[in-house]
Amino acid sequence: MITIRKVTAQDKQALLIVEEKSTPKLQYLPQVFEMFVNDSRGEFMLAELDGEIVACAKFTVLANSSAWLETLRVIPEAQGQGIGKKLYQRFSEVAMSEGITTMRMYTGLHNAVSKGLAEYSGFRLEESFLGFTKDVTSAKVASSNSFERVNKATLPQLQPHLQNWHNFAVMNRTFYKLNSEQLTHFVEQNQVFEDKATTSLIICGARFMPEQALHIAFFSGDATACLDFATNKAIEIGTKQLSCFIPNGAEKTKEILQGYGFAESPTPFIVMKKG
C-alpha cells in the first residue's frame, strides 16, 4: 500500500538514503532538509510503500505565486509501482489548498521517465534551457565598473532584455518566471545589482548552498561588466563556481558566455508547466 504524508524532522536520515539511492549524482537534501521542513507554505512530502519510506518530493510556492515541484526522489526498488503518480496527485491537492493555478518542474531533455510522468499528470513543455558553468579562481578581475545593490527594480527596467531570457531567471535549477512580485523578492534578497554608468543590471545569488555556486539568473547592458562583477562577487564570498542558465536559442547570450570561458552542460534542460 502506498501512503503519502508530510515529512517530519525524524524522517531526515531515511530520506537522505532515498536520495542517495535514487539520484546518486545529484544530492542536496543534507543542505536543504531543514529549509524544506520549516517552509511555511507548500509541502515537503514523502511516500511509504507498505510502511517503508521509499520516496519524497517538495511543493514550493514561489514569490510569483506559482508552484515549483522539486526533489522528486523514488528509490530504484520501488519505481514502476505508481508512486510518482501518487506524488503528483498530492501536488494537485496542495495546489488547490494553496490557491495555486500554475505549477512547473524541470528535468533533463532526455529523461523520458520524468517527462512522461509530468505529461501523464497534465504538464506540457514550456521552455528548454542550456546550462553553463565556469570555475572560479582566486584572482579578482580588474574592472572599472561600480555595481551597487538595487533597492527597487521594476519590470520596465528589464523589459528591453526580458525577451532574450523568455521572462525567466534561474537559481539553483529553480526556474522562476519573472513578474513584479518575483523581481521584488530578488531585490529583498539583495540579489539585484546595477551599474548606472553602463546601465547594466544583473540578478545573481543563490537560493541555497551559496558555497557551491553563484547563480547568474539574468543580466543586461554591458555583458562583460556584469560577468566581471559576478566573478569578483563569487571570489568575495568564497564560492567555487559560476552558473548560468539561458533559454535554448539565445545564441548571442550563449556566445557571450562561451567567450567568457563558460562551458556548456552536455544535456539541455526542459521546463514543464501545468496551468
Side-chain angles (χ1 to χ4, degrees):
M1 183 175 70
I2 300 170
T3 304
I4 308 296
R5 65 170 175 84
K6 290 183 180 181
V7 172
T8 69
Q10 289 70 39
D11 298 316
K12 182 175 182 177
Q13 291 307 313
L15 291 182
L16 296 188
I17 293 172
V18 166
E19 183 176 56
E20 184 179 357
K21 286 184 175 181
S22 58
T23 55
K25 295 182 179 181
L26 182 61
Q27 298 183 54
Y28 55 84
L29 263 183
Q31 290 82 7
V32 304
F33 184 87
E34 281 73 23
M35 182 179 80
F36 280 5
V37 167
N38 296 321
D39 197 346
S40 61
R41 296 194 65 187
E43 186 170 295
F44 190 18
M45 62 190 76
L46 62 75
E48 293 176 320
L49 180 62
D50 297 330
E52 178 188 358
I53 296 175
V54 296
C56 66
K58 178 68 167 62
F59 181 107
T60 298
V61 180
L62 302 180
N64 60 22
S65 298
S66 70
W68 182 245
L69 313 183
E70 57 188 327
T71 323
L72 199 160
R73 311 280 191 257
V74 182
I75 63 173
E77 308 94 282
Q79 292 175 9
Q81 301 189 52
I83 292 171
K85 293 177 182 177
K86 289 285 189 181
L87 290 169
Y88 266 87
Q89 288 174 11
R90 181 58 189 163
F91 286 151
S92 294
E93 293 169 0
V94 177
M96 185 174 295
S97 67
E98 292 277 1
I100 300 292
T101 59
T102 300
M103 296 184 284
R104 291 184 175 89
M105 56 79 71
Y106 96 98
T107 188
L109 177 65
H110 304 302
N111 191 332
V113 173
S114 179
K115 182 174 181 288
L117 178 59
E119 289 177 331
Y120 176 86
S121 303
F123 286 69
R124 296 294 177 261
L125 177 67
E126 182 176 26
E127 296 284 352
S128 62
F129 289 84
L130 303 177
F132 293 84
T133 56
K134 183 179 187 296
D135 291 337
V136 176
T137 66
S138 58
K140 283 196 172 185
V141 179
S143 175
S144 60
N145 301 102
S146 179
F147 281 81
E148 296 181 352
R149 285 194 184 96
V150 172
N151 294 321
K152 183 178 181 180
T154 62
L155 285 181
Q157 284 179 264
L158 279 62
Q159 206 65 51
H161 310 278
L162 281 176
Q163 185 175 0
N164 189 47
W165 295 82
H166 295 195
N167 286 45
F168 273 94
V170 187
M171 285 187 186
N172 296 90
R173 299 193 181 187
T174 304
F175 293 73
Y176 301 90
K177 195 74 170 182
L178 280 174
N179 61 11
S180 296
E181 290 75 19
Q182 188 62 61
L183 184 57
T184 297
H185 173 77
F186 286 139
V187 170
E188 292 173 346
Q189 294 298 308
N190 297 320
Q191 294 172 334
V192 185
F193 304 86
E194 181 182 31
D195 175 39
K196 293 183 179 179
T198 59
T199 63
S200 301
L201 188 142
I202 182 171
I203 302 173
C204 62
R207 181 183 165 207
F208 48 74
M209 296 166 59
E211 73 283 356
Q212 294 295 319
L214 178 73
H215 301 270
I216 302 170
F218 176 94
F219 63 86
S220 65
D222 186 326
T224 299
C226 289
L227 296 176
D228 284 349
F229 168 76
T231 298
N232 290 336
K233 185 167 183 61
I235 293 169
E236 177 187 319
I237 63 179
T239 195
K240 303 173 182 177
Q241 195 176 70
L242 291 173
S243 172
C244 187
F245 280 73
I246 65 172
N248 196 357
E251 292 301 320
K252 184 176 180 180
T253 308
K254 177 179 177 178
E255 291 173 6
I256 290 169
L257 292 172
Q258 290 178 326
Y260 200 84
F262 280 77
E264 184 178 346
S265 299
T267 303
F269 302 86
I270 57 174
V271 172
M272 309 284 287
K273 174 188 173 183
K274 182 178 182 179

